[in-house]
């Protein structure tokens, strides 16, 4: 018979995340797609009244010892931790322990039942040993990318050799911590999970979660930027090609989409291309993409900075049955935006690559071989058949990804982890006098 957790045995969840990715009030928005994953986990535990609060960390090189402050907004607790990696590791560990005490309001029984969920493994080496924890990886592993491509391409993907080597070393340390520490991996990416298994992480420590992505029914949409609003007004015979990424980097390979689009225009296929990516203040990569486009075709392209998710949902809502979302990535763990686009009714096409994990959710007719000619051929086929007006793809995705499927997987993970730690806690700690 399955053990039913009592109120004293139930764990509350503290989320540890870099402050730059989230505002003081988590619902105000976030800066990268991976944070939406974390926010939906927060929403899940808030709804269950099992959320302890956020620990927001920020590096401050001016400090000699960690500094902590706290606030509460709309009923959610936030503890801010300022530190740097030059500090004594024990001081950072003690500071994390203090942050958890603040979320537990000084109640040692509550603190022993807190589960710390880390968005990345940055602070895992400093995590207090007596408190349960888990982590989700979002960024790609350098070695895994290199194994699938080459060392030289890994230097391009991670900007340069120095950064790639530094990140590889940091990731190796993080993985070693996961192998040796009692830490669970709340895994959204099978690609990453398989890599961690190959590095010695035990299978039972990896808890596979159904990605928290679902359609945006009943959500409010932002008013679209005027330039975008005008650009997406397409004529009856036109088709809009759309992609949105956090970073216009080597992984995303937007050059493939631009080259395919130019080929389509040369074939007199009436396409317009909307590309969103990189922060507003960083325009160099957007300018480089524009430089690829001959002057006579530039009116067919609009390349802008990345937008908040509410704005992105507004675009999805405005271009349903008028557009194709094109994922051009050469390597991507999961791939949040193409899946969200498809779930919200935008016909999406993806590379036929095992290392672009979103492809596992799409049928073969929605995939293209990874070259310009195949992408051009696929877009022409979708355009001629008007596949982008069909609901078939969206209906299939809704059977694979939904709020209920996500919640079922989270409930299962929560119960398994709770029982794991309940078994390890001595009886006198479970039921203090």
């Amino acid at each position: 018979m399955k053990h039913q957790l009592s109120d004293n045995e139930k764990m509350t969840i503290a989320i540890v995340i870099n402050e730059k990715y989230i505002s003081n009030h988590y619902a105000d928005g976030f800066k990268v797609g991976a944070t939406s994953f974390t926010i939906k986990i927060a929403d899940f535990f808030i709804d269950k009244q099992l959320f302890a609060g956020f620990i927001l960390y920020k590096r401050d090189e001016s400090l000699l010892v960690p500094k902590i402050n706290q606030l509460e907004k709309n009923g959610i607790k936030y503890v801010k931790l300022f530190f740097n990696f030059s500090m004594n590791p024990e001081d950072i560990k003690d500071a994390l322990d203090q942050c958890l005490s603040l979320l537990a309001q000084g109640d040692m029984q509550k603190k022993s039942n807190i589960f710390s969920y880390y968005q990345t493994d940055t602070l895992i080496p400093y995590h207090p040993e007596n408190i349960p924890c888990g982590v989700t990886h979002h960024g790609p592993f350098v070695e895994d990318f290199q194994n699938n491509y080459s060392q030289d391409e890994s230097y391009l993907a991670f900007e340069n050799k120095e950064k790639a080597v530094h990140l590889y070393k940091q990731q190796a340390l993080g993985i070693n911590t996961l192998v040796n520490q009692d830490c669970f991996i709340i895994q959204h990416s099978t690609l990453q999970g398989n890599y961690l298994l190959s590095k010695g992480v035990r299978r039972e420590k990896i808890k596979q979660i159904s990605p928290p992505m679902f359609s945006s029914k009943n959500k409010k949409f932002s008013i679209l930027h005027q330039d975008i609003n005008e650009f997406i007004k397409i004529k009856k015979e036109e088709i809009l090609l759309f992609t949105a990424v956090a970073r216009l980097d080597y992984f995303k390979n937007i050059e493939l989409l631009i080259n395919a689009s130019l080929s389509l225009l040369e074939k007199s296929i009436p396409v317009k291309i909307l590309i969103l990516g990189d922060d507003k203040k960083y325009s160099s990569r957007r300018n480089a993409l524009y430089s690829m486009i001959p002057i006579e075709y530039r009116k067919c392209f609009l390349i802008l900075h990345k937008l908040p998710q509410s704005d992105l949902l507004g675009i999805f809502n405005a271009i349903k049955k008028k557009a194709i979302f094109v994922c051009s990535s050469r390597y991507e763990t999961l791939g949040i935006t193409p899946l969200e686009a498809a779930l919200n009714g935008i016909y999406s096409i993806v590379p036929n690559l095992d290392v672009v994990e979103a492809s596992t959710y799409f049928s073969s007719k929605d995939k293209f071989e990874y070259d310009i000619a195949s992408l051009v051929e696929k877009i022409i086929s979708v355009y001629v058949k008007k596949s982008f007006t069909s609901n078939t793809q969206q209906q299939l995705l809704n059977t694979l990804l939904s709020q209920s499927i996500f919640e079922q997987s989270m409930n299962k993970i929560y119960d398994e982890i709770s029982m794991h730690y309940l078994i390890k806690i001595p009886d006198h700690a479970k039921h203090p006098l």
Side-chain angles (χ1 to χ4, degrees), residues 107-231:
D107 187 325
M108 292 306 294
Q109 173 67 12
K110 284 184 179 180
K111 193 174 80 167
S112 68
N113 280 4
I114 281 184
F115 181 87
S116 295
Y117 169 72
Y118 290 81
Q119 188 184 34
T120 71
D121 65 6
T122 304
L123 293 186
I124 291 286
Y126 308 97
H127 179 75
E129 292 90 347
N130 60 322
I131 297 182
C133 73
V135 63
T136 297
H137 283 278
H138 293 282
F141 290 112
V142 175
E143 186 181 42
D144 192 49
F145 180 86
Q146 186 172 296
N147 289 343
N148 283 283
Y149 286 93
S150 71
Q151 187 177 74
D152 286 345
E153 285 178 289
S154 75
Y155 297 159
L156 289 171
F158 296 94
E159 296 187 29
N160 56 54
K161 180 179 178 179
E162 183 181 6
K163 287 186 179 180
V165 171
H166 173 75
L167 186 57
Y168 167 76
K169 290 177 179 177
Q170 290 298 115
Q171 289 176 340
L173 289 171
I175 292 167
N176 187 58
T177 301
L178 295 180
V179 169
N180 294 304
Q181 206 163 302
D182 191 18
C183 177
F184 284 95
I185 292 91
I186 314 300
Q187 190 62 64
H188 77 305
S189 165
T190 303
L191 188 66
Q192 289 185 326
N194 289 339
Y195 175 76
L196 291 171
L197 287 170
S198 77
K199 304 307 289 184
V201 175
R202 297 196 311 276
R203 187 173 293 277
E204 63 268 22
K205 291 173 72 172
I206 298 177
K207 302 297 182 181
Q208 189 73 31
I209 186 175
S210 175
M213 287 180 286
F214 14 91
S215 61
S216 56
K217 293 174 184 175
N218 305 320
K219 287 192 177 179
K220 292 181 180 178
F221 305 115
S222 297
I223 298 172
L224 296 181
H225 187 284
Q226 185 177 352
D227 289 347
I228 294 176
N229 200 36
E230 288 300 316
F231 188 79

Side-chain angles (χ1 to χ4, degrees), residues 328-348:
S328 58
S329 297
R330 52 168 52 90
Y331 182 104
E332 188 156 21
T333 54
L334 190 59
I336 292 172
T337 313
L339 289 169
E340 286 186 332
L343 286 164
N344 285 284
I346 312 303
Y347 186 83
S348 301

Side-chain angles (χ1 to χ4, degrees), residues 413-428:
I413 289 169
Y414 176 81
D415 288 346
E416 288 176 357
I417 292 176
S418 295
M419 290 305 299
H420 170 83
Y421 284 109
L422 183 63
I423 290 167
K424 294 184 69 172
I425 299 171
D427 284 342
H428 68 271

